[in-house]
Amino acid sequence: QVQLVESGGGSVQAGESLRLSCAASGIISSANSMGWYRQAPGKRRELVASVKDYGRTYYADSVKGRFSISRDNARDTMYLQMNNLQPEDTYVYVCTVEKSGRDYWGRGIQVTVSS
């Protein structure tokens, strides 16, 4: 059974950085696409960043120039480097991987940024 497990979240001050990791048992290297969403209670889930198997990336306007998505196939892990975090980046972040037409989701991890 495929499991996606996020790590690296926590509480930071504005201007600091965090790196989220998404360990995905055996599917990162062969994924068609992967990405990170974020969600707050009562709000719609927002796509933050994604990367296709051929390398094309997408970033939400609100995080361009501050966040970076990457993958390590050898470790079956995807990352989201988040720099210059701001209070408005406070969300639960969820990783997702699409492989062979099927979507896999992590359980999410909290990121809290205080001013």
Side-chain angles (χ1 to χ4, degrees):
Q1 182 177 358
V2 175
Q3 288 187 322
L4 275 61
V5 180
E6 299 98 338
S7 62
S11 298
V12 297
Q13 298 288 320
E16 294 184 341
S17 299
L18 283 173
R19 187 177 76 159
L20 302 183
S21 299
C22 175
S25 52
I27 64 170
I28 288 290
S29 60
S30 57
N32 299 111
S33 66
M34 58 191 74
W36 291 89
Y37 283 77
R38 63 188 186 185
Q39 189 168 21
K43 293 188 178 180
R44 187 175 180 176
R45 183 176 289 180
E46 173 191 14
L47 177 62
V48 176
S50 66
V51 57
K52 299 290 188 183
D53 53 358
Y54 49 85
R56 183 173 182 175
T57 56
Y58 162 86
Y59 294 97
D61 287 343
S62 57
V63 306
K64 280 181 182 176
R66 300 188 298 124
F67 289 14
S68 178
I69 188 171
S70 63
R71 64 197 283 179
D72 184 335
N73 291 341
R75 290 183 168 83
D76 275 321
T77 302
M78 171 175 59
Y79 302 99
L80 184 68
Q81 177 67 41
M82 306 185 295
N83 298 328
N84 190 24
L85 283 161
Q86 299 299 314
E88 53 266 33
D89 296 315
T90 295
Y91 285 94
V92 172
Y93 286 74
V94 185
C95 66
T96 181
V97 173
E98 188 270 315
K99 174 179 162 53
S100 302
R102 182 171 178 178
D103 293 325
Y104 301 89
W105 295 87
R107 299 184 66 177
I109 192 164
Q110 179 70 43
V111 171
T112 302
V113 186
S114 56
S115 57

